[in-house]
Amino acid sequence: MSELKLKSGIFQPIEKEGEIKLYCCGPTVYDYAHIGNLRTYVCEDILRRTLELNGYKIKHVMNITDVGHLTSQADEGNDKIEKAAIEQKKSTWEIAEFYTESFLKDIETLNILKPHIMPKATEHIKEMIEMVKKLEEKGYTYKTDDGIYFDTSKFKKYGELTGRSFEQLNKYLKAGMRVCYNQQKKNITDFALWKFSPENEKREMEWDSPWGIGFPGWHIECSAMSMKYLGETLDIHCGGIDHISIHHTNEITQSECATGKKFVNYWVHCNFLLVESKKMSKSLKNFYTLQDVLDKGYGWREIRYLLLSGQYSQELNFTLRNLEGIKTTIKKFGEFMTTLKDVDFEKNCIDLEEIINNSKENFLKNLNNDLNTPEALAVVFDFMNKINKFISDRTLVKEESEKCIETMLWFDKVIGLKLEEFLEETEVSEEIKKLVEERESFRRGKNFEGADKIRNKLKELGFQINDSESGPKLKKID
Ligand code: AMP
Ligand code: ZN
């Protein structure tokens, strides 16, 4: 078996026989996720599925940020959830609950495996306070008028993940700064561990603490929750690349200072989904939610496939034209599966065993090469092309076509397009059956206009009809 090579090195688990400790930064639940956000979660899903295909057991934790994430990563601006609550005239708790549900629905729609544990920040305030107390005891913190801060000058390795030193980062951030920051901060890179509620103002989400009533900083929640569920050192930590410079740098800093141990062995950062060469983002208003794209008539498989069509560490462009092209690709998958189901020729195919073994080996090799999904998909296509050739030569017995189905379902353990659904028989009424027969007789009589009319009628009734080698196939439209 090939080894899994990640950007940060060949993967070696902490425990050879135990579970892989996988932590992924989850959503801030103040709005719908856009498909740029979802690209990151699909990438993490591919990582988890690849680890599983390599035989590892995984413990996958993803937090839900339902409190205190300010509009800037660097502790400035408004609380995103509070802002949404004011705009939508709802409570912060209602906003958080609503968008948590919508996120869970999105990941289910895209067939992203649900993390085993999804802790909410609001349910782990105690653990966060404990961690801040520990950092305070060790002398890493100081107080300003608006909160308790971490003194980043005290951590020698500060900024290592970014490739810049503490001094370089401070200089760089100062040069790029447009707005006034908390003047009481000792260093620009210092970050809030605990923020005080504004005086004479009661926030909906606030808690008592040894330092006063307030709410936790964003970064501390990931350290406290990942450690609670996975221990002090994680195998793999994931997130979007925009988290490298502040959020993940600060997570490392506070975690390693609290425990004296290495926090993360491997980092996996997903690059951006772009729209016309710009990052898809809420602030640029160039985003699509999952529902936006589904409403345009594309299926979830097309969207998932598009997100797999680029390697995660590269930027990926999103266009509706790409999605349009992928429609044909998904159709090919469906036709291939339904054709295989009915294939039962008399002649054996001599090389099949070798083709299957080589394809599986190459598929895994590409995934193990830093999750190279486009190359892995190319292997699947190569396999389908070879088998299609056998089918047109009428050399594939039933037992062999079943092996091909098994192979496709094995690929699907990672690509996650629910290919098994193409094999399911569609239950249809007598009326539908009659329409299908009528269309067949039109087709036989070369009355294509009449056949197309029935195709449209079936569509209105919720069925798509595809013509395959072994006759017409009906599929329920989602
Ligand atoms: P947020 O809910 O804003 O914290 O974002 C959730 C995740 O999506 C984070 O890991 C971000 O880094 C990631 N993300 C945001 N925009 C994009 C994008 N255009 N492409 C890929 N990932 C993104
Ligand atoms: Zn995080």
Side-chain angles (χ1 to χ4, degrees):
M1 198 199 283
S2 63
E3 289 169 307
L4 171 59
K5 196 172 89 207
L6 297 170
K7 225 175 167 189
S8 42
I10 303 229
F11 179 68
Q12 298 286 354
I14 298 171
E15 290 171 28
K16 289 266 172 303
E17 304 296 327
E19 289 171 324
I20 304 298
K21 302 163 215 307
L22 172 65
Y23 185 82
C24 303
C25 288
T28 304
V29 283
Y30 69 104
D31 201 347
Y32 294 108
H34 57 63
I35 54 170
N37 303 132
L38 292 168
R39 179 187 187 197
T40 294
Y41 304 116
V42 168
C43 146
E44 294 161 355
D45 185 53
I46 294 296
L47 170 65
R48 169 170 162 187
R49 288 168 179 267
T50 300
L51 284 162
E52 283 172 349
L53 203 65
N54 278 288
Y56 292 113
K57 284 195 283 301
I58 322 289
K59 189 167 178 190
H60 182 190
V61 178
M62 179 186 284
N63 65 302
I64 299 283
T65 298
D66 56 354
V67 64
H69 185 163
L70 303 184
T71 37
S72 114
Q73 281 200 56
D75 312 313
E76 310 276 329
N78 303 316
D79 179 324
K80 289 181 179 178
I81 300 172
E82 224 169 47
K83 192 165 165 265
I86 294 166
E87 281 165 9
Q88 296 180 34
K89 297 191 175 53
K90 288 192 175 140
S91 77
T92 44
W93 297 95
E94 282 168 335
I95 292 285
E97 195 184 329
F98 179 83
Y99 290 110
T100 302
E101 283 310 310
S102 115
F103 174 72
L104 293 176
K105 199 166 142 242
D106 282 354
I107 63 171
E108 191 185 340
T109 302
L110 283 178
N111 198 21
I112 293 171
L113 298 175
K114 194 172 171 202
H116 301 107
I117 307 176
M118 299 190 82
K120 290 183 178 169
T122 49
E123 290 169 7
H124 294 79
I125 304 294
K126 190 170 91 330
E127 287 82 353
M128 296 180 216
I129 291 177
E130 285 309 313
M131 194 168 210
V132 180
K133 267 165 64 183
K134 213 182 226 178
L135 292 168
E136 186 178 45
E137 280 159 22
K138 291 189 170 192
Y140 288 111
T141 66
Y142 63 93
K143 188 174 168 193
T144 75
D145 287 347
D146 75 354
I148 304 296
Y149 281 78
F150 190 101
D151 182 349
T152 51
S153 68
K154 295 202 166 156
F155 183 50
K156 268 213 222 62
K157 286 187 344 194
Y158 190 83
E160 200 177 73
L161 193 67
T162 67
R164 288 189 162 105
S165 68
F166 167 77
E167 287 77 19
Q168 284 170 332
L169 272 174
N170 273 276
K171 213 165 130 190
Y172 170 78
L173 286 174
K174 194 163 188 183
M177 199 143 352
R178 275 173 293 144
V179 285
C180 207
Y181 69 102
N182 180 349
Q183 294 292 333
Q184 293 173 329
K185 268 169 66 167
K186 294 184 184 170
N187 311 286
I188 299 175
T189 46
D190 291 355
F191 56 92
L193 295 163
W194 187 261
K195 282 271 216 177
F196 301 136
S197 292
E199 254 177 63
N200 309 322
E201 196 185 300
K202 181 150 175 45
R203 282 168 53 95
E204 276 180 56
M205 285 184 173
E206 60 180 13
W207 293 265
D208 206 359
S209 82
W211 313 279
I213 293 177
F215 57 100
W218 172 40
H219 318 300
I220 195 78
E221 69 168 86
C222 283
S223 293
M225 292 196 276
S226 61
M227 277 190 211
K228 170 162 181 178
Y229 294 102
L230 296 169
E232 292 177 339
T233 302
L234 315 177
D235 281 294
I236 309 179
H237 190 318
C238 305
I241 53 165
D242 51 342
H243 286 164
I244 297 174
S245 61
I246 299 181
H247 183 51
H248 290 164
T249 289
N250 293 345
E251 273 189 44
I252 296 173
T253 304
Q254 64 204 2
S255 304
E256 300 201 353
C257 289
T259 65
K261 291 184 190 153
K262 189 168 186 200
F263 178 45
V264 172
N265 283 346
Y266 301 88
W267 286 93
V268 173
H269 287 111
C270 180
N271 209 326
F272 292 139
L273 187 68
L274 307 181
V275 181
E276 284 161 17
S277 311
K278 292 203 180 75
K279 175 188 172 190
M280 181 179 284
S281 72
K282 302 234 164 83
S283 55
L284 291 175
K285 296 195 171 59
N286 61 353
F287 66 91
Y288 292 89
T289 63
L290 183 57
Q291 196 58 48
D292 290 339
V293 187
L294 295 172
D295 287 346
K296 286 188 187 297
Y298 300 99
W300 70 268
R301 288 188 178 88
E302 278 117 50
I303 303 165
R304 183 172 169 104
Y305 188 96
L306 180 125
L307 298 177
L308 300 186
S309 66
Q311 201 248 2
Y312 80 93
S313 66
Q314 309 294 317
E315 290 174 338
L316 177 68
N317 215 19
F318 173 82
T319 63
L320 292 176
R321 190 143 35 91
N322 285 354
L323 268 184
E324 199 56 48
I326 294 171
K327 267 189 177 173
T328 318
T329 311
I330 299 300
K331 212 167 146 218
K332 271 192 196 145
F333 273 110
E335 282 167 5
F336 185 65
M337 295 303 283
T338 42
T339 305
L340 277 180
K341 199 174 76 158
D342 298 321
V343 158
D344 186 9
F345 299 121
E346 281 175 9
K347 241 165 66 191
N348 271 95
C349 154
I350 304 150
D351 308 329
L352 189 67
E353 210 64 39
E354 197 186 333
I355 291 172
I356 289 180
N357 290 341
N358 287 344
S359 303
K360 282 186 168 181
E361 196 183 317
N362 286 334
F363 180 77
L364 189 59
K365 206 153 77 188
N366 282 303
L367 288 171
N368 279 348
N369 183 16
D370 203 17
L371 312 179
N372 195 333
T373 44
E375 288 298 325
L377 287 171
V379 173
V380 178
F381 272 94
D382 185 51
F383 175 75
M384 293 194 339
N385 287 339
K386 285 185 175 130
I387 304 304
N388 272 331
K389 171 90 178 51
F390 292 134
I391 293 173
S392 55
D393 292 347
R394 305 181 72 80
T395 50
L396 205 64
V397 299
K398 183 91 196 139
E399 198 190 314
E400 291 168 335
S401 57
E402 278 168 1
K403 278 192 183 148
C404 294
I405 291 179
E406 272 169 33
T407 309
M408 289 301 287
L409 296 182
W410 186 85
F411 295 140
D412 203 41
K413 286 183 182 187
V414 178
I415 58 179
L417 294 174
K418 290 196 181 172
L419 296 181
E420 75 281 359
E421 284 185 356
F422 292 115
L423 300 170
E424 286 162 14
E425 296 286 348
T426 310
E427 289 285 327
V428 291
S429 65
E430 281 308 310
E431 182 203 357
I432 303 282
K433 273 187 203 156
K434 259 209 182 112
L435 281 170
V436 173
E437 277 163 25
E438 211 176 311
R439 179 174 169 271
E440 272 306 277
S441 84
F442 277 151
R443 269 164 49 85
R444 276 194 299 272
K446 305 236 181 297
N447 178 354
F448 295 116
E449 205 180 314
D452 278 350
K453 267 195 191 140
I454 297 186
R455 174 193 287 275
N456 290 338
K457 180 134 194 236
L458 284 166
K459 216 174 191 173
E460 279 165 26
L461 294 168
F463 291 93
Q464 187 185 315
I465 190 157
N466 295 319
D467 298 306
S468 79
E469 284 251 328
S470 51
K473 299 274 174 252
L474 271 183
K475 194 177 155 264
K476 256 209 164 87
I477 302 169
D478 297 331

